mmCIF file of all heavy atoms in Angstrom:
data_model
loop_
_atom_site.group_PDB
_atom_site.id
_atom_site.type_symbol
_atom_site.label_atom_id
_atom_site.label_comp_id
_atom_site.label_asym_id
_atom_site.label_seq_id
_atom_site.Cartn_x
_atom_site.Cartn_y
_atom_site.Cartn_z
ATOM 1 N N ILE J 209 -33.719 5.326 -4.302
ATOM 2 C CA ILE J 209 -32.444 4.754 -3.824
ATOM 3 C C ILE J 209 -31.525 5.865 -3.450
ATOM 4 O O ILE J 209 -31.444 6.893 -4.066
ATOM 5 C CB ILE J 209 -31.849 3.923 -4.987
ATOM 6 C CG1 ILE J 209 -32.868 2.824 -5.423
ATOM 7 C CG2 ILE J 209 -30.508 3.349 -4.558
ATOM 8 C CD1 ILE J 209 -32.334 2.028 -6.604
ATOM 9 N N ALA J 210 -30.780 5.542 -2.356
ATOM 10 C CA ALA J 210 -29.755 6.488 -1.862
ATOM 11 C C ALA J 210 -28.459 5.723 -1.636
ATOM 12 O O ALA J 210 -28.431 4.477 -1.629
ATOM 13 C CB ALA J 210 -30.217 7.153 -0.561
ATOM 14 N N VAL J 211 -27.373 6.458 -1.412
ATOM 15 C CA VAL J 211 -26.058 5.831 -1.173
ATOM 16 C C VAL J 211 -25.428 6.529 0.024
ATOM 17 O O VAL J 211 -25.724 7.685 0.329
ATOM 18 C CB VAL J 211 -25.148 5.894 -2.422
ATOM 19 C CG1 VAL J 211 -25.704 5.138 -3.605
ATOM 20 C CG2 VAL J 211 -24.838 7.359 -2.771
ATOM 21 N N VAL J 212 -24.522 5.810 0.693
ATOM 22 C CA VAL J 212 -23.733 6.363 1.799
ATOM 23 C C VAL J 212 -22.297 5.942 1.665
ATOM 24 O O VAL J 212 -21.993 4.832 1.165
ATOM 25 C CB VAL J 212 -24.306 5.942 3.162
ATOM 26 C CG1 VAL J 212 -25.681 6.509 3.410
ATOM 27 C CG2 VAL J 212 -24.320 4.453 3.305
ATOM 28 N N ASP J 213 -21.416 6.788 2.148
ATOM 29 C CA ASP J 213 -19.992 6.475 2.228
ATOM 30 C C ASP J 213 -19.761 5.703 3.575
ATOM 31 O O ASP J 213 -19.578 6.337 4.609
ATOM 32 C CB ASP J 213 -19.139 7.749 2.164
ATOM 33 C CG ASP J 213 -17.648 7.426 2.130
ATOM 34 O OD1 ASP J 213 -17.281 6.282 2.412
ATOM 35 O OD2 ASP J 213 -16.850 8.376 1.834
ATOM 36 N N LEU J 214 -19.810 4.398 3.512
ATOM 37 C CA LEU J 214 -19.767 3.611 4.708
ATOM 38 C C LEU J 214 -18.425 3.789 5.462
ATOM 39 O O LEU J 214 -18.382 3.809 6.662
ATOM 40 C CB LEU J 214 -19.986 2.130 4.379
ATOM 41 C CG LEU J 214 -20.043 1.181 5.600
ATOM 42 C CD1 LEU J 214 -21.139 1.556 6.535
ATOM 43 C CD2 LEU J 214 -20.264 -0.279 5.070
ATOM 44 N N HIS J 215 -17.354 3.879 4.681
ATOM 45 C CA HIS J 215 -16.027 4.073 5.284
ATOM 46 C C HIS J 215 -16.020 5.353 6.145
ATOM 47 O O HIS J 215 -15.468 5.384 7.274
ATOM 48 C CB HIS J 215 -14.951 4.145 4.204
ATOM 49 C CG HIS J 215 -13.544 4.218 4.725
ATOM 50 N ND1 HIS J 215 -12.953 5.398 5.055
ATOM 51 C CD2 HIS J 215 -12.635 3.251 5.015
ATOM 52 C CE1 HIS J 215 -11.731 5.197 5.494
ATOM 53 N NE2 HIS J 215 -11.520 3.901 5.463
ATOM 54 N N LYS J 216 -16.548 6.418 5.613
ATOM 55 C CA LYS J 216 -16.596 7.689 6.360
ATOM 56 C C LYS J 216 -17.472 7.584 7.620
ATOM 57 O O LYS J 216 -17.054 8.045 8.664
ATOM 58 C CB LYS J 216 -17.112 8.790 5.422
ATOM 59 C CG LYS J 216 -17.180 10.154 6.106
ATOM 60 C CD LYS J 216 -17.656 11.221 5.110
ATOM 61 C CE LYS J 216 -17.639 12.615 5.779
ATOM 62 N NZ LYS J 216 -18.069 13.661 4.795
ATOM 63 N N LEU J 217 -18.612 6.956 7.473
ATOM 64 C CA LEU J 217 -19.510 6.816 8.610
ATOM 65 C C LEU J 217 -18.859 5.977 9.712
ATOM 66 O O LEU J 217 -19.023 6.265 10.934
ATOM 67 C CB LEU J 217 -20.828 6.177 8.210
ATOM 68 C CG LEU J 217 -21.715 7.038 7.229
ATOM 69 C CD1 LEU J 217 -22.944 6.239 6.800
ATOM 70 C CD2 LEU J 217 -22.069 8.355 7.848
ATOM 71 N N LEU J 218 -18.159 4.938 9.385
ATOM 72 C CA LEU J 218 -17.550 4.041 10.360
ATOM 73 C C LEU J 218 -16.369 4.710 11.046
ATOM 74 O O LEU J 218 -16.115 4.461 12.234
ATOM 75 C CB LEU J 218 -17.121 2.744 9.716
ATOM 76 C CG LEU J 218 -18.211 1.784 9.242
ATOM 77 C CD1 LEU J 218 -17.562 0.585 8.545
ATOM 78 C CD2 LEU J 218 -19.036 1.314 10.457
ATOM 79 N N ASN J 219 -15.651 5.569 10.360
ATOM 80 C CA ASN J 219 -14.373 6.073 10.904
ATOM 81 C C ASN J 219 -14.400 7.511 11.362
ATOM 82 O O ASN J 219 -13.519 7.902 12.098
ATOM 83 C CB ASN J 219 -13.280 5.932 9.828
ATOM 84 C CG ASN J 219 -12.918 4.474 9.542
ATOM 85 O OD1 ASN J 219 -12.206 3.885 10.328
ATOM 86 N ND2 ASN J 219 -13.414 3.937 8.453
ATOM 87 N N GLU J 220 -15.380 8.289 10.946
ATOM 88 C CA GLU J 220 -15.381 9.679 11.282
ATOM 89 C C GLU J 220 -16.556 10.120 12.190
ATOM 90 O O GLU J 220 -16.676 11.288 12.503
ATOM 91 C CB GLU J 220 -15.387 10.504 10.014
ATOM 92 C CG GLU J 220 -14.149 10.311 9.087
ATOM 93 C CD GLU J 220 -14.195 11.181 7.890
ATOM 94 O OE1 GLU J 220 -14.971 12.187 7.846
ATOM 95 O OE2 GLU J 220 -13.486 10.872 6.947
ATOM 96 N N SER J 221 -17.350 9.181 12.584
ATOM 97 C CA SER J 221 -18.474 9.500 13.445
ATOM 98 C C SER J 221 -17.990 9.889 14.879
ATOM 99 O O SER J 221 -16.877 9.482 15.288
ATOM 100 C CB SER J 221 -19.499 8.376 13.570
ATOM 101 O OG SER J 221 -18.868 7.266 14.227
ATOM 102 N N ARG J 222 -18.778 10.640 15.627
ATOM 103 C CA ARG J 222 -18.383 11.047 16.966
ATOM 104 C C ARG J 222 -18.290 9.817 17.885
ATOM 105 O O ARG J 222 -17.354 9.771 18.713
ATOM 106 C CB ARG J 222 -19.484 11.970 17.553
ATOM 107 C CG ARG J 222 -19.159 12.526 18.896
ATOM 108 C CD ARG J 222 -20.252 13.489 19.373
ATOM 109 N NE ARG J 222 -20.422 14.568 18.431
ATOM 110 C CZ ARG J 222 -21.499 15.350 18.364
ATOM 111 N NH1 ARG J 222 -22.510 15.122 19.203
ATOM 112 N NH2 ARG J 222 -21.592 16.332 17.533
ATOM 113 N N LEU J 223 -19.130 8.834 17.690
ATOM 114 C CA LEU J 223 -19.053 7.588 18.447
ATOM 115 C C LEU J 223 -17.684 6.917 18.277
ATOM 116 O O LEU J 223 -17.078 6.487 19.238
ATOM 117 C CB LEU J 223 -20.177 6.655 18.066
ATOM 118 C CG LEU J 223 -20.181 5.231 18.771
ATOM 119 C CD1 LEU J 223 -20.259 5.463 20.299
ATOM 120 C CD2 LEU J 223 -21.289 4.409 18.216
ATOM 121 N N ARG J 224 -17.255 6.858 17.014
ATOM 122 C CA ARG J 224 -15.940 6.200 16.745
ATOM 123 C C ARG J 224 -14.818 6.971 17.367
ATOM 124 O O ARG J 224 -13.871 6.402 17.923
ATOM 125 C CB ARG J 224 -15.736 6.089 15.238
ATOM 126 C CG ARG J 224 -14.354 5.553 14.810
ATOM 127 C CD ARG J 224 -14.142 4.134 15.348
ATOM 128 N NE ARG J 224 -12.787 3.671 15.062
ATOM 129 C CZ ARG J 224 -12.451 3.034 13.920
ATOM 130 N NH1 ARG J 224 -13.398 2.836 12.996
ATOM 131 N NH2 ARG J 224 -11.241 2.621 13.718
ATOM 132 N N GLN J 225 -14.878 8.338 17.327
ATOM 133 C CA GLN J 225 -13.814 9.145 17.937
ATOM 134 C C GLN J 225 -13.776 8.934 19.446
ATOM 135 O O GLN J 225 -12.694 8.914 20.051
ATOM 136 C CB GLN J 225 -14.063 10.631 17.597
ATOM 137 C CG GLN J 225 -14.086 10.893 16.087
ATOM 138 C CD GLN J 225 -12.844 10.418 15.367
ATOM 139 O OE1 GLN J 225 -11.719 10.528 15.850
ATOM 140 N NE2 GLN J 225 -13.026 9.813 14.186
ATOM 141 N N GLU J 226 -14.944 8.830 20.076
ATOM 142 C CA GLU J 226 -15.005 8.610 21.508
ATOM 143 C C GLU J 226 -14.430 7.262 21.907
ATOM 144 O O GLU J 226 -13.666 7.138 22.895
ATOM 145 C CB GLU J 226 -16.444 8.691 22.010
ATOM 146 C CG GLU J 226 -17.048 10.117 21.920
ATOM 147 C CD GLU J 226 -18.522 10.144 22.296
ATOM 148 O OE1 GLU J 226 -19.094 9.055 22.502
ATOM 149 O OE2 GLU J 226 -19.099 11.239 22.337
ATOM 150 N N ILE J 227 -14.756 6.236 21.086
ATOM 151 C CA ILE J 227 -14.160 4.912 21.358
ATOM 152 C C ILE J 227 -12.678 4.940 21.209
ATOM 153 O O ILE J 227 -11.925 4.376 22.017
ATOM 154 C CB ILE J 227 -14.850 3.881 20.434
ATOM 155 C CG1 ILE J 227 -16.267 3.666 20.759
ATOM 156 C CG2 ILE J 227 -14.050 2.578 20.442
ATOM 157 C CD1 ILE J 227 -17.001 2.735 19.785
ATOM 158 N N ASN J 228 -12.171 5.634 20.174
ATOM 159 C CA ASN J 228 -10.736 5.708 19.956
ATOM 160 C C ASN J 228 -10.050 6.416 21.122
ATOM 161 O O ASN J 228 -9.008 5.976 21.613
ATOM 162 C CB ASN J 228 -10.418 6.486 18.663
ATOM 163 C CG ASN J 228 -10.732 5.659 17.439
ATOM 164 O OD1 ASN J 228 -10.946 4.469 17.484
ATOM 165 N ND2 ASN J 228 -10.703 6.318 16.258
ATOM 166 N N GLN J 229 -10.629 7.502 21.637
ATOM 167 C CA GLN J 229 -10.030 8.241 22.754
ATOM 168 C C GLN J 229 -10.014 7.341 23.982
ATOM 169 O O GLN J 229 -8.964 7.353 24.691
ATOM 170 C CB GLN J 229 -10.831 9.493 23.002
ATOM 171 C CG GLN J 229 -10.708 10.534 21.902
ATOM 172 C CD GLN J 229 -11.610 11.723 22.123
ATOM 173 O OE1 GLN J 229 -12.351 11.806 23.160
ATOM 174 N NE2 GLN J 229 -11.606 12.684 21.180
ATOM 175 N N ASN J 230 -11.057 6.616 24.256
ATOM 176 C CA ASN J 230 -11.090 5.739 25.444
ATOM 177 C C ASN J 230 -10.029 4.619 25.323
ATOM 178 O O ASN J 230 -9.361 4.301 26.316
ATOM 179 C CB ASN J 230 -12.471 5.124 25.607
ATOM 180 C CG ASN J 230 -13.501 6.177 26.004
ATOM 181 O OD1 ASN J 230 -13.202 7.176 26.568
ATOM 182 N ND2 ASN J 230 -14.782 5.880 25.698
ATOM 183 N N MET J 231 -9.887 4.038 24.142
ATOM 184 C CA MET J 231 -8.940 2.946 23.943
ATOM 185 C C MET J 231 -7.506 3.532 24.006
ATOM 186 O O MET J 231 -6.642 2.818 24.478
ATOM 187 C CB MET J 231 -9.198 2.272 22.627
ATOM 188 C CG MET J 231 -10.563 1.585 22.564
ATOM 189 S SD MET J 231 -10.707 0.443 21.159
ATOM 190 C CE MET J 231 -9.631 -0.875 21.646
ATOM 191 N N GLU J 232 -7.298 4.756 23.540
ATOM 192 C CA GLU J 232 -5.934 5.326 23.644
ATOM 193 C C GLU J 232 -5.564 5.551 25.101
ATOM 194 O O GLU J 232 -4.443 5.305 25.502
ATOM 195 C CB GLU J 232 -5.911 6.610 22.847
ATOM 196 C CG GLU J 232 -5.901 6.432 21.341
ATOM 197 C CD GLU J 232 -5.932 7.755 20.592
ATOM 198 O OE1 GLU J 232 -6.024 8.825 21.294
ATOM 199 O OE2 GLU J 232 -5.963 7.726 19.363
ATOM 200 N N LYS J 233 -6.525 6.023 25.910
ATOM 201 C CA LYS J 233 -6.233 6.231 27.330
ATOM 202 C C LYS J 233 -5.936 4.929 28.010
ATOM 203 O O LYS J 233 -5.013 4.808 28.865
ATOM 204 C CB LYS J 233 -7.459 6.946 27.991
ATOM 205 C CG LYS J 233 -7.706 8.357 27.585
ATOM 206 C CD LYS J 233 -8.912 8.927 28.260
ATOM 207 C CE LYS J 233 -9.193 10.334 27.846
ATOM 208 N NZ LYS J 233 -10.412 10.913 28.435
ATOM 209 N N GLU J 234 -6.695 3.914 27.693
ATOM 210 C CA GLU J 234 -6.461 2.582 28.269
ATOM 211 C C GLU J 234 -5.123 2.017 27.837
ATOM 212 O O GLU J 234 -4.382 1.405 28.617
ATOM 213 C CB GLU J 234 -7.551 1.618 27.857
ATOM 214 C CG GLU J 234 -7.501 0.304 28.539
ATOM 215 C CD GLU J 234 -8.721 -0.619 28.200
ATOM 216 O OE1 GLU J 234 -9.618 -0.125 27.528
ATOM 217 O OE2 GLU J 234 -8.704 -1.765 28.597
ATOM 218 N N ALA J 235 -4.722 2.278 26.561
ATOM 219 C CA ALA J 235 -3.452 1.798 26.044
ATOM 220 C C ALA J 235 -2.331 2.545 26.778
ATOM 221 O O ALA J 235 -1.266 1.898 27.075
ATOM 222 C CB ALA J 235 -3.337 2.025 24.554
ATOM 223 N N GLU J 236 -2.448 3.837 27.042
ATOM 224 C CA GLU J 236 -1.410 4.556 27.799
ATOM 225 C C GLU J 236 -1.247 3.988 29.178
ATOM 226 O O GLU J 236 -0.117 3.871 29.714
ATOM 227 C CB GLU J 236 -1.799 6.038 27.825
ATOM 228 C CG GLU J 236 -1.727 6.747 26.513
ATOM 229 C CD GLU J 236 -2.200 8.179 26.589
ATOM 230 O OE1 GLU J 236 -2.618 8.619 27.706
ATOM 231 O OE2 GLU J 236 -2.175 8.887 25.561
ATOM 232 N N LYS J 237 -2.356 3.640 29.821
ATOM 233 C CA LYS J 237 -2.309 3.087 31.189
ATOM 234 C C LYS J 237 -1.568 1.737 31.150
ATOM 235 O O LYS J 237 -0.714 1.493 32.003
ATOM 236 C CB LYS J 237 -3.700 2.915 31.729
ATOM 237 C CG LYS J 237 -3.750 2.360 33.154
ATOM 238 C CD LYS J 237 -5.172 2.204 33.624
ATOM 239 C CE LYS J 237 -5.228 1.627 35.006
ATOM 240 N NZ LYS J 237 -6.647 1.488 35.528
ATOM 241 N N LYS J 238 -1.906 0.913 30.167
ATOM 242 C CA LYS J 238 -1.252 -0.422 30.077
ATOM 243 C C LYS J 238 0.229 -0.230 29.751
ATOM 244 O O LYS J 238 1.086 -1.028 30.256
ATOM 245 C CB LYS J 238 -1.943 -1.276 29.006
ATOM 246 C CG LYS J 238 -3.377 -1.608 29.305
ATOM 247 C CD LYS J 238 -3.461 -2.444 30.566
ATOM 248 C CE LYS J 238 -4.910 -2.820 30.880
ATOM 249 N NZ LYS J 238 -5.052 -3.560 32.165
ATOM 250 N N THR J 239 0.576 0.738 28.920
ATOM 251 C CA THR J 239 1.976 0.987 28.618
ATOM 252 C C THR J 239 2.751 1.354 29.843
ATOM 253 O O THR J 239 3.911 0.888 30.030
ATOM 254 C CB THR J 239 2.073 2.084 27.537
ATOM 255 O OG1 THR J 239 1.411 1.674 26.361
ATOM 256 C CG2 THR J 239 3.528 2.343 27.197
ATOM 257 N N GLU J 240 2.182 2.167 30.676
ATOM 258 C CA GLU J 240 2.834 2.556 31.920
ATOM 259 C C GLU J 240 3.098 1.352 32.793
ATOM 260 O O GLU J 240 4.128 1.213 33.498
ATOM 261 C CB GLU J 240 2.019 3.596 32.696
ATOM 262 C CG GLU J 240 1.950 4.951 32.010
ATOM 263 C CD GLU J 240 1.036 5.937 32.692
ATOM 264 O OE1 GLU J 240 0.442 5.513 33.735
ATOM 265 O OE2 GLU J 240 0.946 7.080 32.238
ATOM 266 N N GLU J 241 2.102 0.430 32.839
ATOM 267 C CA GLU J 241 2.242 -0.762 33.669
ATOM 268 C C GLU J 241 3.360 -1.670 33.129
ATOM 269 O O GLU J 241 4.172 -2.204 33.893
ATOM 270 C CB GLU J 241 0.918 -1.539 33.695
ATOM 271 C CG GLU J 241 -0.245 -0.842 34.395
ATOM 272 C CD GLU J 241 -1.527 -1.617 34.327
ATOM 273 O OE1 GLU J 241 -1.470 -2.771 33.820
ATOM 274 O OE2 GLU J 241 -2.523 -1.120 34.806
#
């Protein structure tokens, strides 16, 4: 049996950071509009 910190995996992975960056760019564009 093993365990994982699911919160850390969901929030600190590279994939999550990339998604956050893309959504922030999109939010900035919408804010300008």
Side-chain angles (χ1 to χ4, degrees):
I209 301 176
V211 297
V212 292
D213 184 346
L214 184 59
H215 184 275
K216 181 177 181 179
L217 294 176
L218 290 176
N219 291 281
E220 299 181 17
S221 66
R222 184 179 301 164
L223 175 61
R224 175 61 185 272
Q225 301 307 317
E226 291 174 355
I227 290 176
N228 286 350
Q229 291 173 3
N230 291 335
M231 296 192 71
E232 286 175 0
K233 291 179 181 178
E234 187 174 354
E236 290 176 359
K237 181 179 178 182
K238 295 298 180 182
T239 299
E240 291 177 358
E241 294 177 5

